[in-house]
Amino acid sequence: MAETREPPPLSEEENIKSEEEDDDLFASAHVEVKAEEPKGEKVTAEIEPQNLLDEGDDIDLNFAEGAKQANADKVDETSKANLFEPEKIEEESSENITINISVSHPQKVGDGMGAYMTYKIVTKTNIPEFKKELFSVNRRFSDFLGLHSKLEEKHAHLGRIVPPAPEKSVIGMTKVKMSKEDDGTLAHDEFVEKRRASLERYLNRTASHAVLRLDSDFREFLQLDADLPKATNTSALSGAGMKRLFNRVGISVNKMTYKMDESDEWFEEKQQQLENLDDQLRKLHTSVEALVHHRKQLSLHTASFAKSAAMVGNAEEHTSLSRALSQLAEVEEKVERLHEKQADADFFVLAELLKDYINLIAAVKEVFHQRVKVFQNWEAAQQTLTKKRETEAKMHLAGKTEKLDQAKADIAEWEANVQKGQHEFEEISQTIRKEVDCFEKQRVIDFKSSIIKYLDSLIDDQQQLIQYWEAFLPEARAIA
């Protein structure tokens, strides 16, 4: 495991006491740390889409059972649950399980600015925690945001990477709200399709996480065949939305004003790697978006060329030349559709993958910041303990024996808080290591799959293009 960070020692007496307590209270944690070197971790669950797995807290159960008996009077029930529940989840995830979620049939409900979109979510799985193997529900976009908010609140502070939900688009949704369903454009609306695809990727990424897919809120979201309570706190203008805004400002200020003196080389290297990867992915995403725009423009210009060629063919009196120009116009129309198809591949296969990972890297950075917050709490507890001991010493010197019992009780309380802070820091550090390891493995798998899919699409389109021109060539040679 990573080298454990501790604040500066308070005194020689405190160091001796702290070492004795560490040998007792955190014996299991230290042995666990030694056993958790990330050497042979492997993702055993077979997930069809993205497989961003949390392998849980990989604790040796035989040892943990002995440690549990030795320290039963010092570890509360909540701590035990936090230690051993992820291990059970990992055992379950070692089986061959599958879960595949599809989002389809976007439907507009209502009219005007009060309208909203619903999506049909079909889930197929063999995970025993789900009531059925095949089921479907209808959900609106705000339900997705509400789900993400709940998962982030419950899991992010523990160091788990919670896939980010798709971003809101006020402009895009306003266009959908003001459109009329009977004009035949809603089903083919580019914004609606992009959102549908992003929601599907979000659910599958969440479902591929060994802990998140078993969360009660996630299972209810997929299974409950009824409307969920309206997630009003997802509105940007709501009180909760303003509170989130102020919280983000506070977090940003904290990141700028507090610099953790990182002594763990692994975390220091990973943070630098993430910054570099984020920067390069953003540049690549900008380039791919420019490519998508270029192909769409090429498709429009090709369509314009096809229409012009058809008009010239109609005006041409020479029979064979007129026929050739008409055939050329038909070929160019087919080429236009190929350019449009390739633009879609550029966007859905490449651009959206890059965007997803830019957002995922932001989620990874967030769990790194959660680790810093845990360290701050531990450090604050250590400082408070120092003050409590100084107060006790002053009471001894002043002869104020009537308050010594309370002072000793305060010291005992803050000693426990310091030990709890150390334990939480070790736990979140270990969890983040596993999460990042899974994230990096899955990133390679996702990029490999997408690149192969993209190349296959390019090859198919080029072969189709060759067939079009080969079929037209005899007609051009027949001009006489």
Side-chain angles (χ1 to χ4, degrees):
M1 176 175 170
E3 177 184 348
T4 303
R5 296 179 44 81
E6 292 189 21
L10 303 178
S11 66
E12 292 182 2
E13 179 182 354
E14 179 186 344
N15 285 342
I16 295 173
K17 186 173 183 180
S18 176
E19 289 175 2
E20 291 174 352
E21 291 172 345
D22 284 348
D23 290 340
D24 182 16
L25 189 62
F26 291 98
S28 61
H30 285 296
V31 175
E32 173 193 340
V33 167
K34 185 174 180 180
E36 287 303 321
E37 291 292 340
K39 294 181 180 179
E41 299 176 1
K42 57 183 180 179
V43 180
T44 55
E46 296 181 2
I47 306 296
E48 290 193 349
Q50 296 85 4
N51 188 17
L52 185 63
L53 294 176
D54 181 341
E55 297 189 339
D57 297 325
D58 192 10
I59 302 171
D60 188 323
L61 289 180
N62 293 329
F63 172 79
E65 193 62 36
K68 178 181 176 183
Q69 296 176 0
N71 301 302
D73 57 338
K74 295 183 180 181
V75 181
D76 59 33
E77 293 300 324
T78 303
S79 299
K80 293 175 185 176
N82 290 337
L83 282 171
F84 296 103
E85 184 177 356
E87 176 65 21
K88 296 178 182 179
I89 293 175
E90 183 174 1
E91 286 181 354
E92 294 169 356
S93 67
S94 64
E95 304 172 1
N96 289 333
I97 62 173
T98 60
I99 178 168
N100 186 27
I101 304 172
S102 64
V103 178
S104 60
H105 297 86
Q107 296 291 329
K108 181 179 176 182
V109 179
D111 295 313
M113 294 306 296
Y116 59 90
M117 297 294 298
T118 63
Y119 303 85
K120 183 179 181 180
I121 304 171
V122 179
T123 305
K124 184 177 182 181
T125 182
N126 61 358
I127 300 177
E129 281 74 12
F130 288 90
K131 299 177 181 179
K132 300 178 181 178
E133 292 187 356
L134 180 64
F135 42 89
S136 65
V137 293
N138 290 315
R139 295 286 181 257
R140 55 187 298 180
F141 182 73
S142 60
D143 294 332
F144 288 83
L145 299 182
L147 171 65
H148 173 261
S149 179
K150 293 176 183 178
L151 294 178
E152 188 175 45
E153 183 178 354
K154 289 197 289 186
H155 298 280
H157 70 282
L158 299 176
R160 298 193 180 106
I161 301 174
V162 180
E167 298 174 351
K168 300 183 72 171
S169 174
V170 177
I171 297 176
M173 195 57 205
T174 300
K175 291 180 179 179
V176 174
K177 289 180 177 181
M178 301 309 296
S179 66
K180 294 184 178 180
E181 199 166 353
D182 56 1
D183 60 9
T185 61
L186 182 60
H188 306 286
D189 186 84
E190 184 177 358
F191 168 78
V192 173
E193 174 56 25
K194 287 180 180 179
R195 172 167 283 189
R196 182 210 62 77
S198 64
L199 293 175
E200 183 173 281
R201 291 194 308 274
Y202 164 68
L203 289 180
N204 280 293
R205 285 193 187 280
T206 305
S208 66
H209 195 293
V211 175
L212 299 184
R213 66 169 168 255
L214 299 181
D215 184 273
S216 58
D217 288 315
F218 184 67
R219 286 185 284 125
E220 180 185 62
F221 180 88
L222 295 177
Q223 294 182 122
L224 183 62
D225 191 14
D227 292 338
L228 296 175
K230 188 177 181 181
T232 54
N233 62 338
T234 61
S235 174
L237 299 179
S238 66
M242 297 303 296
K243 183 178 179 181
R244 288 197 305 274
L245 177 61
F246 285 119
N247 286 340
R248 284 196 292 268
V249 172
I251 290 173
S252 300
V253 172
N254 184 50
K255 289 179 180 178
M256 291 186 290
T257 57
Y258 182 85
K259 181 65 176 178
M260 178 178 173
D261 186 16
E262 185 64 74
S263 63
D264 191 316
E265 292 183 0
W266 186 90
F267 279 95
E268 190 172 7
E269 291 175 359
K270 289 301 177 186
Q271 290 186 60
Q272 186 60 45
Q273 290 174 7
L274 287 172
E275 291 294 341
N276 293 336
L277 180 61
D278 187 28
D279 184 54
Q280 296 304 320
L281 285 180
R282 289 179 183 276
K283 292 179 180 179
L284 180 57
H285 183 252
T286 301
S287 299
V288 174
E289 283 189 323
L291 177 61
V292 172
H293 177 73
H294 168 74
R295 287 201 198 272
K296 288 185 177 295
Q297 290 297 314
L298 180 59
S299 176
L300 292 175
H301 291 315
T302 302
S304 178
F305 176 79
K307 291 178 181 179
S308 298
M311 293 176 66
V312 173
N314 291 334
E316 178 59 53
E317 295 181 357
H318 193 284
T319 305
S320 59
L321 179 57
S322 175
R323 184 170 57 249
L325 289 171
S326 297
Q327 290 291 327
L328 175 61
E330 292 178 5
V331 172
E332 290 293 347
E333 288 177 355
K334 296 177 182 178
V335 173
E336 173 211 349
R337 290 191 287 270
L338 279 181
H339 289 322
E340 186 68 27
K341 177 185 173 185
Q342 194 56 56
D344 289 340
D346 294 337
F347 178 81
F348 288 106
V349 180
L350 283 186
E352 290 295 84
L353 173 73
L354 295 172
K355 185 178 180 181
D356 283 352
Y357 268 93
I358 289 171
N359 292 333
L360 277 170
I361 287 175
V364 177
K365 290 180 180 179
E366 179 58 29
V367 298
F368 274 71
H369 179 63
Q370 291 293 335
R371 176 174 174 268
V372 174
K373 289 170 65 176
V374 171
F375 179 78
Q376 282 183 281
N377 293 337
W378 177 22
E379 193 175 47
Q382 190 82 330
Q383 293 171 354
T384 303
L385 178 59
T386 302
K387 294 178 180 179
K388 293 294 183 182
R389 286 176 171 167
E390 290 174 351
T391 301
E392 183 194 31
K394 291 178 181 179
M395 289 180 180
H396 273 293
L397 293 175
K400 297 180 179 180
T401 57
E402 67 277 3
K403 295 183 178 180
L404 281 178
D405 290 340
Q406 180 61 42
K408 290 180 180 179
D410 291 342
I411 291 174
E413 178 185 353
W414 281 101
E415 283 176 345
N417 289 339
V418 169
Q419 292 167 353
K420 179 182 177 183
Q422 178 185 2
H423 179 69
E424 288 178 349
F425 183 75
E426 292 173 348
E427 284 293 304
I428 194 172
S429 298
Q430 179 181 346
T431 300
I432 291 174
R433 277 176 170 268
K434 292 180 178 181
E435 290 281 311
V436 172
D437 181 61
C438 292
F439 166 79
E440 292 180 336
K441 290 177 181 178
Q442 192 59 42
R443 188 182 76 246
V444 174
I445 294 173
D446 287 347
F447 272 79
K448 176 183 177 180
S449 173
S450 295
I451 290 173
I452 291 175
K453 183 178 180 180
Y454 182 69
L455 291 177
D456 286 341
S457 175
L458 282 176
I459 292 172
D460 290 342
D461 290 344
Q462 292 301 316
Q463 289 176 343
Q464 189 67 56
L465 194 62
I466 291 173
Q467 292 178 10
Y468 291 156
W469 291 121
E470 285 181 342
F472 171 71
L473 185 58
E475 191 67 38
R477 287 174 175 169
I479 300 174

